[in-house]
Each structure stands twice: as structure tokens, then as C-alpha cells.
Amino acid sequence: MPKKERKRLQVVISDEQDALLTRTAYELSSPERLISKSEVVRLAIEKIARELGEGPQTGQIEEYRAILGHEGDEDEG
């Protein structure tokens, strides 16, 4: 069976976001299975897409936009 083709994405993240990724990967890991930061990112993508696909809860999209808007302010500085 052929391997699943993957796309590579490079993003710039803040030190705070990197710390969140590291902490989340650590918390999701177990002695039997270490979770990578890349896996945490893929999980977050799936989770957000599922939530939006199921019909976002009231205010959820606005909350996501506010978070993304705040990050955009940091990029400009």
C-alpha cells in the first residue's frame, strides 16, 4: 500500500506558542508513546475543523477570530 502523501507547512510562532505546544505534547504523552509538537498541531487542526463542521457554538467563531486578530497585532510589532 503506498504511503499517504503529506504536505509540509512552515509557520512562525511566538515563544509563548512554542511553550504551549511543548507543554501540550508533554501532557498528551505517556511512557509508551511520546507525542510530538507536530502531532499536537495536527490534532488542533482536526479538532477545530470538526467543531466548525458540527456547527460552531454561539460565539465560537468570534472567539477564534479574536485570538487570530490578537496574534496579528503581535506580528506587526
Side-chain angles (χ1 to χ4, degrees):
M1 189 160 106
K3 276 192 169 183
K4 190 185 225 182
E5 188 174 322
R6 290 190 166 182
K7 304 282 184 191
R8 183 172 288 279
L9 173 68
Q10 292 183 332
V11 296
V12 177
I13 60 173
S14 68
D15 289 339
E16 180 182 338
Q17 291 167 327
D18 185 55
L20 286 171
L21 270 176
T22 301
R23 185 179 75 214
T24 304
Y26 177 79
E27 290 175 4
L28 290 173
S29 293
S30 68
E32 299 81 28
R33 172 96 159 78
L34 294 177
I35 303 297
S36 70
K37 291 192 281 188
S38 294
E39 290 173 299
V40 173
V41 171
R42 288 193 292 271
L43 174 64
I45 291 167
E46 288 290 328
K47 186 174 183 339
I48 291 169
R50 248 188 245 132
E51 287 174 2
L52 294 176
E54 292 171 356
Q57 297 176 4
T58 305
Q60 190 174 42
I61 290 179
E62 289 77 16
E63 180 183 347
Y64 288 152
R65 288 179 180 155
I67 292 168
L68 293 171
H70 177 69
E71 289 174 2
D73 295 342
E74 292 174 1
D75 291 343
E76 293 173 8

